[in-house]
Amino acid sequence: MHTTTVIHTLQPRRRRSLATVLVGALVGTLAAALPVAPASAQVPDPVPVHSAGNPILADGSYYSADAAPLVVDDTLYVYTGHDEAAEQQAGFEMHDYGVLVTDDVASGEWQHYADVMAPGEVFGWATGNNAYAGQVTTGADGRYYWYAPVEWDNAAVPNRMAIGVAVSDSPVGPWADAIGEPLLTWTDVFGSSTTGQEVIDPHVFTDVDGRVYLYWGSWGVARMVELEPTMTATTGAISTLSGLTSFYEAPWVFEREGTYYLAYDWKQGGSECTPSNYQACIAYATADDPRGPWTYQGIILGGTSATTVHPSVVELGDRWYLTYHTKDAVGGVTSVGRSRSTRSPGTATG
């Protein structure tokens, strides 16, 4: 099933710059001996894209998915997956990521960097398969960190999905493995148990006090753990999040005026919003602390055509934007036999 990236405008906000929050005493200590991309790595030339509205990519020529936005100096970067599955293929065919860039959302003018990061080339421990929903964020050292859930080459675990971290001096790359091994695997979360959920859909949130948290979740369970200021190691215990009614996957956290918000894929088969399990809505919960506990607040977007929509929220200028994906794209063919197949034709903002 192919998906398309969409962007929606949300309510006005009070101005706060995450980049400002990240500047602090740690900058000098974090700049040491971080990996760099090989000299042979190159950033692909961007292709201009004009979007008449949503979705951003609507002609079926490229199937983006799992939108994750980042604002840098008043420029919006929307990082997406890329599904190359055949029309009747019952699954995803995802090996690389792209990024859509604009400094004026209303103009509809974007630059599309396709194949900007291929996990199979960046991570020596990964197979290169299943490049699912990832996210790029800024570290306190001013570098950019890409959290990518990809297939581990360790076939001895019940599920091989793991989260890697790539790093770059630029929002578009080139990218290098920041650790040399996965940041988080099945073993880290479940130990020797054969029961659990895929370790996918990572989201990293930096709080106003500079503390950094990694969230992830799938198949009805959301989890989190704190990260070291280096952005490349976990610290403390993994916790399971409560209060997220009908959570399916894809947690995304942000802060506004002292309240923490968590948007996520909401799914309840047989409900008005999701009559079947092949649909998803976007819901949110709030908390007084980024670690929870969370209180469910309701659904903010329904009527999408995808099994998952991977919501994400970002502040740009005097507006908030909600990004997600949907199957609705001109020329985009979807397969009714595809399981959890909403990851691919297009990204939308709104």
Side-chain angles (χ1 to χ4, degrees):
M1 184 180 296
H2 290 120
T3 58
T4 284
T5 301
V6 181
I7 184 166
H8 279 300
T9 306
L10 299 180
Q11 63 207 55
R13 49 79 185 182
R14 60 113 171 88
R15 192 169 185 86
R16 177 186 291 273
S17 169
L18 180 58
T20 300
V21 172
L22 294 173
V23 176
L26 293 171
V27 171
T29 60
L30 295 181
L34 287 172
V36 296
S40 59
Q42 294 183 348
V43 177
D45 292 332
V47 174
V49 172
H50 177 74
S51 174
N54 277 323
I56 298 170
L57 299 172
D59 63 359
S61 62
Y62 183 101
Y63 293 104
S64 65
D66 302 317
L70 174 70
V71 172
V72 180
D73 297 330
D74 296 321
T75 296
L76 176 62
Y77 297 80
V78 180
Y79 299 86
T80 76
H82 177 210
D83 195 354
E84 301 176 89
E87 291 182 7
Q88 296 301 317
Q89 182 174 335
F92 313 119
E93 193 72 31
M94 306 181 76
H95 305 284
D96 59 77
Y97 296 96
V99 58
L100 291 153
V101 185
T102 186
D103 60 7
D104 185 356
V105 175
S107 73
E109 302 301 329
W110 298 77
Q111 295 291 318
H112 185 211
Y113 293 82
D115 194 10
V116 77
M117 204 273 276
E121 299 174 7
V122 172
F123 302 127
W125 48 266
T127 66
N129 298 324
N130 301 342
Y132 290 167
Q135 182 216 355
V136 175
T137 191
T138 311
D141 58 358
R143 304 185 89 189
Y144 301 92
Y145 291 84
W146 197 321
Y147 296 83
V150 295
E151 188 178 72
W152 193 11
D153 62 8
N154 180 3
V157 291
N159 189 286
R160 297 164 68 178
M161 292 305 298
I163 297 171
V165 187
V167 64
S168 174
D169 292 323
S170 163
V172 295
W175 301 89
D177 190 342
I179 309 174
E181 61 184 5
L183 171 68
L184 200 67
T185 70
W186 176 279
T187 304
D188 297 322
V189 182
F190 303 111
S192 59
S193 175
T194 58
T195 302
Q197 300 80 32
E198 286 181 305
V199 181
I200 59 172
D201 289 3
H203 167 64
V204 171
F205 167 70
T206 300
D207 200 1
V208 294
D209 62 3
R211 294 177 71 174
V212 186
Y213 302 92
L214 169 66
Y215 303 82
W216 72 96
S218 66
W219 301 110
V221 182
R223 293 182 171 87
M224 68 158 291
V225 69
E226 189 168 354
L227 293 182
E228 295 283 3
T230 61
M231 311 293 284
T232 58
T234 63
T235 179
I238 294 170
S239 61
T240 301
L241 305 185
S242 62
L244 305 181
T245 300
S246 300
F247 173 87
Y248 181 55
E249 63 181 19
W252 184 279
V253 174
F254 63 99
E255 180 269 345
R256 183 174 185 272
E257 298 181 351
T259 297
Y260 297 89
Y261 295 80
L262 192 154
Y264 61 94
D265 268 349
W266 184 100
K267 188 186 297 292
Q268 190 179 102
S271 67
E272 182 178 354
C273 198
T274 57
S276 77
N277 283 325
Y278 290 94
Q279 296 162 291
C281 297
I282 299 174
Y284 80 105
T286 58
D288 295 326
D289 188 284
R291 294 161 294 188
W294 297 93
T295 301
Y296 175 73
Q297 299 294 348
I299 293 170
I300 56 175
L301 183 72
T304 66
S305 61
T307 305
T308 68
V309 290
H310 195 266
S312 44
V313 179
V314 70
E315 183 182 29
L316 173 62
D318 62 353
R319 295 178 180 274
W320 288 86
Y321 290 93
L322 170 68
T323 62
Y324 60 98
H325 65 227
T326 180
K327 293 190 303 178
D328 300 326
V330 175
V333 179
T334 61
S335 168
V336 296
R338 191 169 293 179
S339 63
R340 297 181 63 228
S341 164
T342 48
R343 293 189 179 268
S344 281
T347 294
T349 63

